[in-house]
Amino acid sequence: MTYAVTAVFPGTFDPITLGHQDLIQRSARLFSKVIVAVAVAHHKKTLFTLDERLAAVRAVVAPWPQVQVEPFTGLVTEFAQLHGAQAMVRGVRSVTDFDYENQLAGMNRVLKPQIDTVLLTPDARFQSVSSTLVREIANLNGDVSAWVAPSVLALLRDKLGAPPSASA
């Protein structure tokens, strides 16, 4: 018996990294439909606008037809329920991430017990990658080409006005 299961993978994606891509691709193998939920992020200042982040994520996930990209604001559990999701995927790179994600999963379970949280670890190459570190390194003209897709690297170059790549 086969079940159609929809999962939501939420985040700010400022910018989307190869670690995110790894988790999205693996989620697409696990679930029949994956919705990458790009947070409006009222709570923090982002480098990229919502529209830029949506476009960047859409470009990266284009090879996977079962993955769609949508903006969201408010509680991600409400977004997940609205889209008929049964699962929420979260990435865990470290024990610190696990502690935070475990607390978040517990709260989300109280809010929407019918939505399960699935924690995935990224490929070992991306264990230390975060959007924050990519932004900081790129902002200081460091090479971030090992951690973002070429299309995202081009966006970083355009936004920051040069390098973030050894080949630039």
Side-chain angles (χ1 to χ4, degrees), residues 9 19-20 22-23 26 89-102 105 117-124 126-129:
F9 183 59
H20 293 128
D22 173 54
L23 296 175
R26 289 176 35 232
V89 175
R90 300 290 296 175
V92 178
R93 296 166 297 192
S94 65
V95 172
T96 304
D97 281 357
F98 178 80
D99 280 345
Y100 174 75
E101 294 299 340
N102 190 43
T117 299
V118 177
L119 303 177
L120 293 178
T121 58
D123 183 288
F126 310 122
Q127 287 282 317
S128 62
V129 178

Side-chain angles (χ1 to χ4, degrees), residues 2-3 32 35 41 45 52 57 61 64 69 89 96 104 106 108 126 128-129 135 138 140-142 154 161 163:
T2 303
Y3 295 98
S32 38
I35 303 169
K45 178 154 175 39
E52 289 170 329
V57 175
V61 304
W64 308 304
V69 181
V89 175
T96 304
L104 199 58
N108 287 341
F126 310 122
S128 62
V129 178
R135 278 194 319 274
L140 296 170
N141 294 323

Side-chain angles (χ1 to χ4, degrees), residues 5-9 16-36 60-61 63-67 87-93 118-127:
V5 178
T6 298
V8 168
F9 183 59
I16 186 167
T17 68
L18 294 179
H20 293 128
Q21 283 179 242
D22 173 54
L23 296 175
I24 294 165
Q25 182 177 23
R26 289 176 35 232
S27 296
R29 288 195 310 255
L30 294 170
F31 302 102
S32 38
K33 179 179 178 183
V34 176
I35 303 169
V36 179
V60 163
V61 304
W64 308 304
Q66 71 276 39
V67 178
M88 190 163 346
V89 175
R90 300 290 296 175
V92 178
R93 296 166 297 192
V118 177
L119 303 177
L120 293 178
T121 58
D123 183 288
R125 296 171 296 162
F126 310 122
Q127 287 282 317

Side-chain angles (χ1 to χ4, degrees), residues 117-167:
T117 299
V118 177
L119 303 177
L120 293 178
T121 58
D123 183 288
R125 296 171 296 162
F126 310 122
Q127 287 282 317
S128 62
V129 178
S130 73
S131 293
T132 301
L133 290 176
V134 167
R135 278 194 319 274
E136 288 179 15
I137 293 167
N139 201 35
L140 296 170
N141 294 323
D143 182 2
V144 296
S145 59
W147 304 304
V148 296
S151 60
V152 175
L153 188 63
L155 290 173
L156 281 164
R157 277 194 205 124
D158 289 347
K159 184 65 88 170
L160 298 173
S165 157
S167 62

